Amino acid sequence: MAARGEFSSRMAFVLAASGSAIGLGNIWGFPIKVASNGGGAFVFTYVVLTFLLAYPILMAELIIGRHAKSDTVTSLVKISGSSTKPLAFLTGYWGILTASLILSFYAIVAGWMIAFGLGSAAELLGMNEFKEWLTSFSLYRNLIFVSLFYILTIGIVANGVASGIEKWSTRLMPMLIVLILALIAYISTQNGAAEGWRVYLQPDFSRILNPDLLISALGQAFFSLSLGVGTMMVYGSYISKSENLPKLGATVALMDIGIAFMAGLLVIPAMYVAQANGVTIYNEAGALIDSDGLIFTVLPALFKTMGFAGIIVSLLFFTLMTIAAVTSSISMLEVPVSHAQESHGMSRKSASWAVGTAILATSIIIVFNFGTLFGLVIDLTTKYSEPLIGILFCIFAGWVWQRDSMLKELEQGSPDMQNTLFWKIWPTYVKVVCPVIVLAVFMHSFGLLNF
Ligand code: PHE
């Protein structure tokens, strides 16, 4: 077997894992959920669930991954006894399937980012009709750009962890942060922004236990941190043994939540600014008119208020968003590819192209049946599969894997582990508290439990 790749430094891992976590989930998905679930109440619940659930489960994935140093299925099998092996296979393959299905809708949205970026370039060149086509929803546009996005993603994964994934993650993420901050500063000068911030920052606490809001926030917390599919387990398997895992995990979680929060500070006011400029955002029943297209409506409306400079800003924004989407999609594709490579002996190149093409075929089916399949696949994967697989990971970390062996794993990067607060709380916490919270939210949303 070829030598396994490893991240070349701590910084490289933090950037790659943050690159996976930070993506369309933060900037496209999060604001949609905030806007559909009453603003601040959603933000509050999402943040609480990230700390209560997502961080502990992120740790479970990273620790198992680094211990086993293999793809997800093999990693889970390695920490299992003979009676739990079937569960390890089931969990591993369910994760692989979920990662692939997530990629299949994610790539469609990422394709829109490329199209909007090119749209701004076309506008700069005075090609207005072409710009119109690029930025309008159509079958052909969606087909072309989703395919382009796959070529980018597959090309990078085919080249391997160290050279492919790191290079992209390390350079461009900081630029995206600076751009969003500059746009937040700009939007504060616009009419309507203050109302947006009020809605975003003032939680209506009477809504936080609403079942739809809770399940949506739960799904968002998992999706945004790339949990419950095995991505973080695979990335964990590329971390060197000398690193302190709890700290690395905390850094990634904080970066991810920080970017989502910033994206909200930009997009929610942008909705109200657009409304003040005559764009209709909500229908009479108070629902978003076009939720999938939210940021593709309100941000271009904002860029337009900047005149010529807005075209450049738009080009930059959508280009950076495309890159943020690539650093996430490569981490999704890495889940099935690392399995095909390590457990089925395929070369990385052929595994990347074979698996990538199969998932592209799924995206094409979704594009042809957009109205029925797009929302359905999103709900099935992010609202249901990810939290459920997350619980299974907790069961592996808390019940299946022997505690001594886990402690030894953690001690490699932090010899004093046994005396840390993390070790005093976390093992029991993932064993009991995390599964109970997830189950309670599920039962609440199905009306089986009232609180
Ligand atoms: N976390 C990514 C985002 O927010 C999406 C993702 C989900 C990536 C699952 C990998 C695995 O965009």
Side-chain angles (χ1 to χ4, degrees), residues 70 229 239 256 266 268 302 321 335 375 397:
S70 355
V229 297
I239 305 178
D256 183 53
L266 170 65
I268 304 300
L302 180 72
M321 278 312 298
V335 177

Side-chain angles (χ1 to χ4, degrees), residues 20-21 23-26 102 106 223-224 226 229 231 328 331-332 386:
S20 163
L24 303 179
N26 306 58
I102 290 180
Y106 202 86
F223 181 67
S224 192
S226 311
V229 297
T231 283
S328 299
S331 76
M332 293 169 208
E386 289 192 75

Side-chain angles (χ1 to χ4, degrees), residues 17-29 98-99 102-103 105-106 220-232 256 324-325 327-333 335 382 386:
S18 313
S20 163
I22 298 163
L24 303 179
N26 306 58
I27 294 156
W28 169 77
T98 306
I102 290 180
L103 179 55
F105 76 76
Y106 202 86
Q220 180 64 24
F222 276 82
F223 181 67
S224 192
L225 261 183
S226 311
L227 301 179
V229 297
T231 283
M232 287 300 181
D256 183 53
T327 57
S328 299
S329 62
I330 53 184
S331 76
M332 293 169 208
L333 187 57
V335 177
T382 63
E386 289 192 75

